[in-house]
């Protein structure tokens, strides 16, 4: 079975190759007859396939599998008809149960290559539902005329293209999100009294109770109040948020990440590597981790750049008024700016959860210079995590614990937790 890219293109020259391994991003790696490495989309380790080369550089090449000559026993038929066109879920041709095993191998190699270190032997990936897991997504909406009717449809951007791959039911979205996009969302966006651009990005957010919230740029303030707000229940704790700001996208696996973070905090305090005097949650979003750890600390600081998070962080960390809660400071500023003005001169407990780009250099430098001995690093991009770890290890940090969380099945992405000590 060839990768779907092949269908819409005029065939170019093809070569027969053997796929040696999977690399970051989920592509297969092969050697071309001239010795160059070639990254092949849609091919799995162990497979013999015919590749069409689309990019040829001096040191490496890229291409996609147009014919699988000897398939891997782990190859399956992709579930989604948009596989290969839609920009998401590029790992659907790999058996769901095998995905964590393959990604674990990729991340072990990633750390060896970028950080010159081995992830601990105990590094493993927590897995959850392989389908219907995604409670949050950015979709593109389009309103078209069909005779005298207006039709609203939703889709994702096609890979390497501005075209939209429209879907009726996306197999990785939660049933509540699919139902919302096929029903209520169409009615809302067909309303002619509302002024909408022809094409708009919508963030949809399922709060776990069946209510779906959404947001788009330019949303009127009264609609924002009506449609964008949401509340998520994590182990009995209600976290308020809205669809315009960051929130984690795999609610069913999230409690396992929270538990691992709580365990890392408890170990750190018990061993004396960190203290319960002060929790600093950098890149805190709506104060997610701090809110779930509030009971353990005397003092809490959350730092987040997106000003839209502040109102929620304040609500989520509101002192309970029973005298038991920590004094709380919610800072709306870039982490690097806060670190420029505040010295962390005690072994505080520090959590960082930066975006895919990883920690800004200035933040890394401040952490190295601080008195923090235990750093809990939550990451949605193991490549920038490995790069940041390489810099932190130069100042004596070592990996105490590493865990993976399969927050994005059918894609090569992985959420990771590193507990670093020095
Ligand atoms: C992966 S999210 C994590 C949010 C939060 N920890 C949670 O679990 O919901 C990263 C957050 O970092 C924020 N951010 C990005 N760059 C930042 C910076 N330089 N300083 C502070 N926050 C930043 C983003 O707005 C986003 O809310």
């Amino acid at each position: 079975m060839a990768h779907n890219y092949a269908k819409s293109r005029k065939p170019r020259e093809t070569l027969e190759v053997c796929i040696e391994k999977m690399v970051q991003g989920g592509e297969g790696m092969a050697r071309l007859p001239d010795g160059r490495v070639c990254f092949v989309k849609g091919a799995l380790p162990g497979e013999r396939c015919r590749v069409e080369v689309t990019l040829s550089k001096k040191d490496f090449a890229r291409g996609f599998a147009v014919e699988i000559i000897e398939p891997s026993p782990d190859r399956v038929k992709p579930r989604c008809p948009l596989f290969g066109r839609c920009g998401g879920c590029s790992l659907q041709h790999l058996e769901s149960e095998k995905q964590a095993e393959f990604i674990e191998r990729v991340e072990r190699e990633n750390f060896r290559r970028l950080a010159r270190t081995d992830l601990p032997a105990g590094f493993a990936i927590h897995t959850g539902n392989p389908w219907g897991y995604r409670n949050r997504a950015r979709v593109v909406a389009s309103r078209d005329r069909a005779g005298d009717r207006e039709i609203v449809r939703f889709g994702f951007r096609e890979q390497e293209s501005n075209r939209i791959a429209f879907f009726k039911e996306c197999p990785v979205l939660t049933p509540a999100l699919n139902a919302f996009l096929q029903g209520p969302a169409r009615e809302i966006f067909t309303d002619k009294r509302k002024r909408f651009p022809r094409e708009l990005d919508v963030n949809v957010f399922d709060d776990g109770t069946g209510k779906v919230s959404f947001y788009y740029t330019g949303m009127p303030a009264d609609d924002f109040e009506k449609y964008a707000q949401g509340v998520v229940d994590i182990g009995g704790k209600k976290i308020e948020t809205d669809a315009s700001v960051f929130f984690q996208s795999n609610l069913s696996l999230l409690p396992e990440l929270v538990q691992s973070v709580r365990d890392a905090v408890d170990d750190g305090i018990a061993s004396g590597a960190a203290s319960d005097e002060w929790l600093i949650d950098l890149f805190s979003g709506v104060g997610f981790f701090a809110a779930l750890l509030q009971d353990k600390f005397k003092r809490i600081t959350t730092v987040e750049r997106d000003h839209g998070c502040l109102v929620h962080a304040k609500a989520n960390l509101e002192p309970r008024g029973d005298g038991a809660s920590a004094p709380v400071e919610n800072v709306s500023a870039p982490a690097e700016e806060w670190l420029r003005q505040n010295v962390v001169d005690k072994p505080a407990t520090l959590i960082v959860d930066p975006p895919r780009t990883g920690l800004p250099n200035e933040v890394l430098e401040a952490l190295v210079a601080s008195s923090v001995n235990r750093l809990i690093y939550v990451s949605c991009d193991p490549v920038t995590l490995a790069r940041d770890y390489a810099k932190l290890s130069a100042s004596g940090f070592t990996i105490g614990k590493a865990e993976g969380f399969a927050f994005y099945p059918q894609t090569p992405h992985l959420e990771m937790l590193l507990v670093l000590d020095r």
Side-chain angles (χ1 to χ4, degrees):
M1 182 189 54
H3 197 270
N4 267 10
Y5 301 116
K7 290 184 182 163
S8 57
R9 303 202 188 191
K10 211 167 136 194
R12 292 181 228 175
E13 191 202 354
T14 61
L15 294 164
E16 197 175 307
V17 294
C18 283
I19 305 297
E20 291 176 15
K21 60 183 176 183
M22 184 184 281
V23 294
Q24 198 76 47
E27 293 168 336
M29 193 204 93
R31 290 258 166 213
L32 295 179
D34 62 14
R36 279 179 308 157
V37 159
C38 182
F39 301 106
V40 186
K41 273 188 181 167
L44 295 174
E47 291 189 327
R48 176 176 289 281
C49 64
R50 189 159 278 288
V51 56
E52 181 177 319
V53 175
T54 50
L55 177 77
S56 188
K57 295 275 180 192
K58 195 161 145 267
D59 303 333
F60 73 96
R62 288 191 184 283
F64 58 91
V66 288
E67 183 190 355
I68 306 297
I69 300 163
E70 283 172 24
S72 157
D74 300 320
R75 174 173 283 274
V76 291
K77 186 174 182 302
R79 185 185 282 200
C80 178
L82 296 176
F83 176 73
R85 256 182 70 204
C86 173
C89 301
S90 61
L91 224 53
Q92 285 183 61
H93 55 306
L94 174 59
E95 174 72 63
S96 294
E97 282 175 12
K98 290 278 177 177
Q99 290 175 9
E101 186 184 317
F102 278 57
I103 291 174
E104 182 189 325
R105 252 178 259 145
V106 168
E107 300 318 343
R108 285 189 180 281
E109 181 168 333
N110 165 40
F111 268 74
R112 258 178 247 126
R113 193 168 52 86
L114 295 176
R116 307 252 169 260
T117 193
D118 281 320
L119 283 171
F123 169 63
I125 296 178
H126 298 245
T127 55
N129 298 334
W131 302 100
Y133 61 84
R134 210 182 155 103
N135 54 281
R136 178 182 165 82
R138 173 166 285 183
V139 297
V140 186
S142 165
R143 195 156 64 174
D144 304 303
R145 253 197 184 285
D148 57 355
R149 279 190 325 130
E150 298 232 293
I151 308 174
V152 173
R153 292 182 297 168
F154 297 96
F156 292 113
R157 295 243 175 253
E158 292 190 5
Q159 358 193 344
E160 293 158 35
S161 152
N162 259 340
R163 282 191 307 235
I164 306 167
F166 291 106
F167 62 85
K168 285 218 168 66
E169 189 178 340
C170 167
V172 296
L173 295 187
T174 60
L177 272 193
N178 272 314
F180 173 74
L181 289 170
Q182 293 313 314
R186 289 179 170 217
E187 280 159 36
I188 292 164
F189 294 128
T190 308
D191 185 345
K192 284 198 180 128
R193 287 164 305 175
K194 290 192 185 297
R195 232 188 62 232
F196 285 122
R198 188 170 162 73
E199 194 179 79
L200 66 159
D201 281 348
V202 188
N203 277 298
V204 276
F205 179 78
D206 172 359
D207 71 1
T209 63
K211 179 182 175 255
V212 174
S213 314
F214 63 89
Y215 170 79
Y216 52 89
T217 305
M219 191 178 207
D222 51 344
D223 278 359
F224 185 80
E225 286 312 312
K226 186 170 166 194
Y227 296 122
Q229 307 297 326
V231 177
V232 184
D233 188 319
I234 305 285
K237 167 88 186 166
K238 302 250 187 283
I239 308 274
E240 73 152 69
T241 182
D242 74 66
S244 76
V245 297
F246 175 88
F247 203 82
Q248 304 282 355
S249 56
N250 188 325
L251 286 183
S252 55
L253 204 50
L254 193 53
E256 293 192 31
L257 171 62
V258 169
Q259 189 55 50
S260 293
V261 169
R262 282 181 74 89
D263 290 348
V265 164
D266 288 342
D267 293 351
I269 294 171
S271 71
S275 83
D276 63 355
E277 292 292 321
W278 191 11
L279 170 68
I280 304 167
D281 182 358
L282 296 184
F283 308 89
S284 54
V286 296
F288 180 74
F289 288 115
L292 294 162
L293 293 163
Q294 187 169 14
D295 53 314
K296 297 179 186 293
F297 290 92
K298 298 189 179 122
R299 175 185 171 199
I300 292 181
T301 302
T302 66
V303 184
E304 163 61 46
R305 184 176 71 180
D306 182 347
H307 194 66
C309 290
L310 186 61
V311 58
H312 302 305
K314 284 190 166 159
N316 290 330
L317 284 138
E318 208 171 12
R320 291 185 299 253
D322 57 4
S325 358
V328 176
E329 189 190 12
N330 301 114
V331 180
S332 185
E336 50 275 40
E337 194 178 302
W338 183 79
L339 285 162
R340 230 177 278 145
Q341 288 157 11
N342 293 270
V343 179
V344 184
D345 57 358
K346 44 175 78 69
T349 295
L350 206 134
I351 298 177
V352 294
D353 181 11
R356 292 224 153 119
T357 44
L359 295 175
N361 264 333
E362 221 183 312
V363 170
L364 280 164
E365 283 161 18
L367 297 185
V368 165
S370 74
S371 299
V372 168
N373 295 326
R374 164 162 286 213
L375 176 61
I376 300 170
Y377 191 146
V378 179
S379 160
C380 51
D381 187 337
V383 171
T384 53
L385 177 65
R387 182 205 66 194
D388 290 349
Y389 172 67
K391 292 183 184 154
L392 291 163
S393 68
S395 78
F397 280 105
T398 56
I399 300 176
K401 190 160 102 177
E403 292 180 47
F405 297 84
F407 271 17
Y408 322 97
Q410 318 306 329
T411 84
H413 299 297
L414 184 69
E415 186 87 2
M416 271 184 78
L417 167 71
L418 279 194
V419 182
L420 305 177
D421 289 304
R422 66 174 169 185

